[in-house]
Amino acid sequence: MNRESRTALSLVGVVVVMGALAWAAVPFYDWFCRVTGFAGTTQISETAPDEVLDEMVRVRFDANVDSNLDWTFRPMQARMDLKIGENGLAFYEAVNNSDVPITGTASYNVAPEVAGFYFDKIQCFCFTEQTLQPGERMEMPVSFYVDPAIVKDRDAGWVRDITLSYTFHRTEPKQAALDSARTETIN
């Protein structure tokens, strides 16, 4: 193999490796954030812990809507004070202000970011896409707790105020995407 061929093959190899790393970056970052709570990513839990501390935490609620989603979205309570380890249940309200059905998916995080590892959701509307019919109003619950282990964490032990923030983004309904893909395959 001559020098030019080796160089060309090496460059193709570099491009393939860079493409593979770029493709893997998003799922790896998502996994990393879920495991570590990095960037305020919350945790998912099956049940609340057995231990409830006598220390209080204040959870504030925030709601945002992407500019291409014609919804009104707001928390139904501004804040909630609960004991660390106690299960909380909060509600958000969404209204479709358009004259067509719209599907949305919520992204979420908490602030300060260091609290993300200790903020656990048991049930949340953000786990699935939501479709609202024209003019439809929906109350959406989120069940959560703050893990008692937070008080022993050197970096997060001081946190007693947490903001839970959601942003709704417009998405194509999964079934419509599947039907569209089937139609394209048939044609």
Side-chain angles (χ1 to χ4, degrees), residues 7-146:
T7 301
L9 190 58
S10 295
L11 289 174
V12 168
V14 167
V15 169
V16 168
V17 168
M18 288 175 67
L21 290 174
W23 176 80
V26 172
F28 178 75
Y29 181 76
D30 180 59
W31 169 82
F32 176 78
C33 290
R34 282 185 284 117
V35 169
T36 65
F38 182 74
T41 303
T42 63
Q43 306 301 304
I44 298 172
S45 180
E46 296 289 321
T47 59
D50 294 329
E51 179 183 22
V52 176
L53 305 180
D54 272 336
E55 294 189 50
M56 300 296 288
V57 64
R58 172 171 288 155
V59 179
R60 299 175 199 280
F61 302 95
D62 179 52
N64 305 283
V65 178
D66 195 5
S67 61
N68 70 347
L69 183 64
D70 192 13
W71 283 9
T72 300
F73 178 58
R74 68 174 188 88
M76 296 183 73
Q77 61 285 304
R79 70 173 202 270
M80 183 180 292
D81 295 327
L82 62 152
K83 292 182 178 181
I84 294 176
E86 180 181 5
N87 188 40
L89 181 63
F91 288 88
Y92 282 77
E93 175 187 55
V95 179
N96 180 351
N97 301 314
S98 76
D99 57 356
V100 296
I102 298 178
T103 300
T105 303
S107 60
Y108 53 87
N109 68 345
V110 297
E113 292 179 1
V114 70
F117 187 74
Y118 299 101
F119 195 95
D120 289 67
K121 293 181 188 174
I122 298 170
Q123 181 183 9
C124 183
F125 60 88
C126 59
F127 296 158
T128 59
E129 62 184 23
Q130 306 295 322
T131 301
L132 296 180
Q133 298 303 315
E136 182 179 7
R137 176 191 167 276
M138 180 185 293
E139 291 183 12
M140 298 178 286
V142 56
S143 174
F144 65 93
Y145 66 91
V146 177

